[in-house]
Amino acid sequence: AQSVTQLDSQVPVFEEAPVELRCNYSSSVSVYLFWYVQYPNQGLQLLLKYLSGSTLVKGINGFEAEFNKSQTSFHLRKPSVHISDTAEYFCAVSDQGQAGTALIFGKGTTLSVSS
Amino acid sequence: DGGITQSPKYLFRKEGQNVTLSCEQNLNHDAMYWYRQDPGQGLRLIYYSQIVNDFQKGDIAEGYSVSREKKESFPLTVTSAQKNPTAFYLCASSITGQSGGYTFGSGTRLTVV
């Protein structure tokens, strides 16, 4: 069965510093990978996705992620964070070959940006 | 604008009462999903539906029920059998095949007193 592990439950960082949010997945088949962001009391918004092709994926708000098949990882990065990036971030995975299944989400990482 | 609407945003119910959460989408998506979110536990799948009049149980379906009579609508009923119903509930939709990712509603916060 697929699973997603977000290695850090909380990441505090100062404004304008770089950040990396780590995500590892387990799956025996080819996967689609996603990062979502959630602001307080709101739904989730898609940041970026990996479907195939280039392993470096760029998303909205200056975020990017790199797919590493050998390490089964999909870490999210931003070179310089803003106060407004404070939110919860979720990594998710789905099996490419099974259209009838749902996304599996990690437990989330809370990013706290302070000045 | 196309989107997915959940209502109400906040819901209070007495213990032992059934309650229905609404989810409507106008994105022409075939698939719809219900997730429950609790602090520190991420999103857990309750039910999902790939087509009208068909749905599948997720990881935590006990105490919940759904229907999918129309493509646009996927209401969730939280029954009195659900032992700990207080949570944030998220509805989502997608094209079939997962490659597009999900579009989420803004959620319903259910509090049972």
Coordinates of all heavy atoms in Angstrom, one line a residue, chain B residues 16 20 25 29 33 44 53 58 62 74 103 111:
Chain B
G16 N -25.7 12.6 19.2 CA -26.8 11.7 18.9 C -27.6 12.1 17.7 O -28.5 11.3 17.2
T20 N -26.1 16.5 7.9 CA -25.6 16.4 6.5 C -24.8 17.6 6.1 O -25.3 18.7 6.2 CB -26.8 16.1 5.6 OG1 -27.5 14.9 6.0 CG2 -26.4 16.0 4.1
Q25 N -20.2 21.0 -6.9 CA -19.2 21.5 -7.8 C -19.8 21.7 -9.2 O -20.7 21.0 -9.6 CB -18.0 20.5 -7.8 CG -18.4 19.1 -8.2 CD -18.2 18.7 -9.7 OE1 -17.7 19.5 -10.5 NE2 -18.5 17.4 -10.0
H29 N -16.4 17.8 -13.0 CA -15.5 16.7 -12.6 C -16.3 15.4 -12.3 O -17.4 15.5 -11.7 CB -14.8 17.1 -11.3 CG -13.7 18.0 -11.5 ND1 -13.0 18.6 -10.5 CD2 -13.1 18.5 -12.7 CE1 -12.0 19.4 -11.0 NE2 -12.1 19.4 -12.3
Y33 N -14.7 13.5 -3.5 CA -14.1 12.9 -2.3 C -14.5 13.6 -1.0 O -14.7 14.8 -1.0 CB -12.6 12.9 -2.4 CG -12.0 12.5 -3.7 CD1 -12.0 13.4 -4.8 CD2 -11.6 11.2 -3.9 CE1 -11.5 13.0 -6.0 CE2 -11.1 10.8 -5.1 CZ -11.0 11.7 -6.2 OH -10.5 11.3 -7.4
R44 N -7.7 12.3 6.2 CA -8.1 10.9 6.1 C -9.3 10.7 5.3 O -10.3 11.4 5.5 CB -8.3 10.3 7.5 CG -7.0 10.3 8.4 CD -7.2 9.7 9.7 NE -8.0 10.5 10.6 CZ -8.6 10.1 11.7 NH1 -8.4 8.9 12.1 NH2 -9.3 11.0 12.5
N53 N -24.0 7.5 -8.8 CA -24.7 6.3 -8.3 C -23.7 5.2 -7.9 O -24.1 4.1 -7.8 CB -25.7 5.8 -9.3 CG -26.9 6.7 -9.5 OD1 -27.4 7.3 -8.5 ND2 -27.4 6.8 -10.7
G58 N -13.7 4.8 2.2 CA -12.3 5.1 2.4 C -11.8 4.4 3.7 O -12.3 3.4 4.1
E62 N -16.7 4.3 8.8 CA -17.6 3.9 9.8 C -18.3 5.1 10.5 O -17.6 6.1 10.9 CB -16.9 3.1 10.9 CG -17.9 2.5 11.9 CD -17.3 1.6 12.9 OE1 -16.1 1.2 12.8 OE2 -17.9 1.2 13.9
F74 N -22.4 15.7 -3.8 CA -21.9 14.6 -3.1 C -22.0 14.9 -1.6 O -21.1 15.1 -0.9 CB -20.4 14.3 -3.4 CG -19.8 13.0 -2.9 CD1 -20.6 11.8 -3.0 CD2 -18.5 12.9 -2.5 CE1 -20.0 10.6 -2.6 CE2 -18.0 11.7 -2.1 CZ -18.7 10.6 -2.1
T103 N -9.4 19.7 -6.7 CA -9.9 21.0 -6.3 C -10.7 20.9 -5.0 O -11.5 20.0 -4.9 CB -10.8 21.6 -7.4 OG1 -10.0 21.7 -8.6 CG2 -11.3 23.0 -7.0
T111 N -18.9 20.8 15.0 CA -18.7 20.7 16.4 C -19.9 20.1 17.0 O -21.1 20.5 16.8 CB -18.5 22.1 17.1 OG1 -17.4 22.7 16.5 CG2 -18.2 21.9 18.6

